[in-house]
């Protein structure tokens, strides 16, 4: 255990808590205040809420000053906000929040004990990035370790779930285990009991947190991850097919549907063995997305690529099979509606809010469809007509100018999305389906042409599909960048190098607005 901060210094103990909504950050701050006040400390807590769940967490600030039980000690004036370089303890409910605390200067190597959970809840920026926008957890841990006097870190979300409590109780236990506050375990537990809410579960989570710190494993577990990060990166591609495809393969094989079994036999007999796993996962996804006939079209396109090119480049075939399946399962309004009303989603939401079977859980969906998405969902001729600028177009645009909240847990809201999801029977007639079909066929034609001359260039063209993702504005920006790259391929196919196309693609993925892509084009004179 660390050395407790001593009261005789007559200095306040300054504690910053960074937590997101629903994680009990306010309860944790109140526990610390109650703990201090019960044992001779002046205590004060303030909070500055973030603007959203992952745009900015709430920062709770607690100051404890000794002498509340001494009549000769004057009431101190305590600060309202943490100051960079002047915080003794930082508690972070998630790893990125620990990184933010370091970035803000709350964590310093001469005084700060940093206690953080190592699980991740990805931020809006990470989720909306064109490419893989996730921040490397190993980098966050390494920087946090360098910045803090002491860094205590382990996955507290797992312990909170195991105990049925919230992460604040695990943090409270970890705080006790570090010994940086001049209070005993009994006094910590007494504070939870006096709080009177969720006592049994909170004490269980508290015990898991303190035991993990006292066992000495809290700081070593993630050190092993940092040390072996390179090996993990190397082995990830090999591990994913085994972990994710094998179970779904068994599920498909157990089906009695003749068309599904025929698709599986076709893969085994006609496709190169190097793409069997990817192709099986592809048909599973596309059957779930549309139907077996759509999955058969996927195999037709793959077979056409194999037949038209003599190249047996395994990486090219695998990447094409993977990206083709992802593209054919594009996210339209039909797909979004389908995913929102699935029983598995209702169960997941209930689990996340820890709702019991007899609890009423209400799910409100905020939907803001654009006129383009409505037109894409309609039959192609009607959709093209409605997308043109005329009175009907302007009236519909005005009607859709405000978002709508739909309660999918209600009969009315559920039926509304159910009807939209059922429209997938007519998906092949929609404007979006026709547009995506034209784009996919054009992409495959470029792949074939490039593979005959330079398989490495064909591989880079295949990976350009990464730009097309999501729906709404995200999809439009990605598609615009993708089309820019395909135009470059069309103009410079005979002398475009794989390295140049890769550089262009990485620039497009780094900036969804295309500024870096345009700069890269100028640099390469393309």
């Amino acid at each position: 255990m660390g050395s407790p901060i001593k009261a005789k210094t007559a200095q306040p103990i300054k504690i910053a808590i960074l937590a997101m909504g629903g994680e009990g950050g306010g309860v944790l701050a109140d526990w610390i205040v109650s703990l201090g006040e019960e044992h001779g400390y002046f205590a004060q807590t303030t909070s500055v809420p973030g603007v959203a769940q992952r745009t900015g967490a709430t920062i709770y600030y607690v100051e404890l000053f000794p002498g509340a039980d001494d009549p000769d000690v004057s009431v101190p004036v305590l600060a309202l906000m943490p100051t960079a370089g002047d915080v003794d303890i930082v508690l972070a409910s998630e790893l990125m929040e620990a990184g933010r605390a370091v970035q803000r200067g709350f964590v310093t190597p001469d005084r700060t004990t940093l206690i953080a959970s190592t699980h991740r809840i990805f931020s809006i920026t990470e989720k909306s990035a064109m490419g893989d926008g996730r921040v490397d957890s190993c980098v966050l841990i390494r920087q946090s370790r360098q910045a803090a006097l002491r860094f205590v870190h382990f996955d507290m979300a797992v312990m909170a779930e195991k105990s049925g409590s919230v992460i604040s109780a695990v943090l409270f236990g970890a705080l006790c285990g570090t010994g940086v506050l001049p209070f005993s375990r009994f006094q910590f537990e007494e504070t939870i009991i006096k709080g009177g809410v969720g006592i049994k579960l909170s004490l269980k989570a508290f015990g898991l947190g303190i035991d993990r710190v006292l066992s000495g494993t809290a700081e070593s577990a993630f050190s092993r991850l940092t040390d072996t990060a390179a090996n993990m990166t190397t082995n990830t591609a090999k591990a994913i097919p085994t972990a994710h495809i094998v179970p779904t393969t068994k599920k498909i094989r157990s089906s009695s549907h003749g068309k599904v079994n025929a698709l599986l036999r076709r893969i085994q007999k006609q496709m190169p063995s190097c793409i069997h796993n990817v192709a099986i996962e592809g048909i599973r996804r596309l059957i779930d997305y549309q139907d077996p006939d759509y999955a058969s079209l996927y195999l037709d396109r793959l077979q056409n690529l194999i037949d038209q090119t003599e190249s047996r480049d395994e990486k090219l075939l695998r990447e094409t099979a993977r990206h083709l399946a992802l593209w054919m399962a594009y996210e339209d309004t039909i797909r979004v509606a389908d995913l929102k009303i699935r029983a598995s989603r209702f169960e997941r939401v209930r689990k996340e809010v820890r709702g019991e079977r007899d609890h009423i859980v209400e799910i409100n969906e905020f939907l803001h469809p654009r006129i383009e998405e409505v037109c894409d969902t309609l039959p192609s001729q009607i959709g093209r007509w409605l997308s043109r600028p005329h009175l009907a177009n302007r009236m519909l645009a005005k009607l859709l100018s405000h978002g709508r909240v739909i309660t999918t847990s209600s009969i009315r809201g559920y039926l509304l999305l159910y009807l939209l999801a059922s429209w997938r029977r007519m998906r092949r007639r929609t404007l979006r389906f026709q547009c995506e079909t034209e784009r996919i066929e054009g992409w495959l034609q470029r792949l074939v042409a490039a593979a005959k001359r330079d398989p490495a260039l064909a591989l880079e063209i295949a990976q350009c599909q990464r730009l097309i993702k999501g729906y709404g504005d995200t999809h439009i920006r990605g598609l615009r960048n993708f089309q820019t790259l395909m135009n470059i391929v069309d103009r410079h196919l005979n002398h475009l190098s794989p390295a140049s196309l890769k550089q262009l693609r990485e620039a497009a993925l780094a900036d969804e607005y295309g500024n870096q892509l345009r700069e890269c084009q100028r640099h390469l004179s393309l």
Side-chain angles (χ1 to χ4, degrees), residues 142-192:
R142 185 167 59 250
Q143 293 177 343
S144 298
R145 184 182 293 117
Q146 292 172 354
L149 175 64
R150 181 181 178 189
F151 182 31
V152 176
H153 52 286
F154 56 94
D155 192 337
M156 301 182 191
V158 171
M159 292 188 173
E161 184 174 355
K162 182 179 179 180
S163 64
S165 184
V166 290
I167 204 167
S168 58
V170 185
L171 278 167
F172 199 49
L175 175 62
C176 178
T178 60
V180 293
L181 289 182
F183 309 113
S184 67
R185 176 170 182 166
F186 173 77
Q187 291 169 331
F188 271 83
E189 291 176 333
E190 188 180 47
T191 299
I192 294 176

